[in-house]
Amino acid sequence: MNLTANFTLAEMTKSETALRHDMDNTPGEQEISALKLLCEKVLQPVRDHYGKGVKVNSGFRHPEVNAKVGGSKTSDHCRGQAADIEIPGVANAELAEWIRDNLEFRQLILEFYTPGIPDSGWVHVSYVAEDNKKQVLTATKKDGKTVYLQGLVA
């Protein structure tokens, strides 16, 4: 099922964790609608701007799958409202900056990026039509724990 010209439901729900542990990662109608909106408002515009394929590392996660990967209990992934993405050949910091400057979103997180290593980490972005507060964060590790810094720190 195509959600937009370049994004399918299958790629937005693929989960290595779910496959490895024989877990169901099937979204309901509400989650599918949210994934479609995320693709229309964020992922497809990113694809159109860069003219390159967008690698979706994680899209929808069933709450059990989300727990297995150590995700937040309130994760937008569980509602089909978030994706972790990269574009081969584009620095993740640059991708995050472009989204920040050009699109509406609920939350944008540059996760575990190492300055000087363009393809390190990934970009988390969520879209919720009624709550696009444009929160921008950078996730990093400090003393073995994830720490969130305000803004893009690259």
Side-chain angles (χ1 to χ4, degrees):
M1 168 187 202
N2 285 341
L3 300 173
T4 63
N6 297 101
F7 293 91
T8 66
L9 181 60
E11 75 182 301
M12 295 302 296
T13 59
K14 183 181 177 190
S15 167
E16 295 297 327
T17 300
L19 291 170
R20 202 170 24 255
H21 297 281
D22 196 28
M23 301 172 81
D24 183 21
N25 198 47
T26 305
E29 286 183 35
Q30 191 170 359
E31 292 85 7
I32 293 171
S33 292
L35 286 167
K36 184 170 176 36
L37 198 57
L38 173 66
C39 290
E40 289 171 348
K41 300 295 185 179
V42 180
L43 303 187
Q44 190 64 50
V46 165
R47 168 69 171 80
D48 293 344
H49 171 74
Y50 284 99
K52 296 180 171 189
V54 175
K55 180 181 174 196
V56 178
N57 297 330
S58 181
F60 171 76
R61 293 187 208 137
H62 184 279
E64 291 175 8
V65 173
N66 189 60
K68 193 67 142 174
V69 300
S72 164
K73 290 179 183 177
T74 60
S75 175
D76 288 336
H77 286 280
C78 297
R79 293 181 292 281
Q81 298 168 331
D84 296 338
I85 62 172
E86 298 178 74
I87 299 175
V90 175
N92 286 318
E94 177 190 329
L95 173 58
E97 288 169 359
W98 189 86
I99 293 170
R100 177 196 63 199
D101 295 343
N102 294 282
L103 300 175
E104 293 296 315
F105 55 88
R106 179 174 191 269
Q107 191 175 59
L108 176 69
I109 308 173
L110 179 59
E111 300 203 50
F112 310 110
Y113 179 78
T114 302
I117 306 175
D119 64 348
S120 61
W122 60 89
V123 175
H124 167 94
V125 63
S126 63
Y127 185 92
V128 182
E130 62 280 355
D131 185 26
N132 282 318
K133 59 187 175 186
K134 292 190 91 165
Q135 181 183 39
V136 179
L137 303 169
T138 297
T140 188
K141 289 281 187 191
K142 185 172 183 177
D143 299 326
K145 295 188 178 192
T146 301
V147 176
Y148 293 92
L149 308 172
Q150 292 297 318
L152 294 178
V153 181

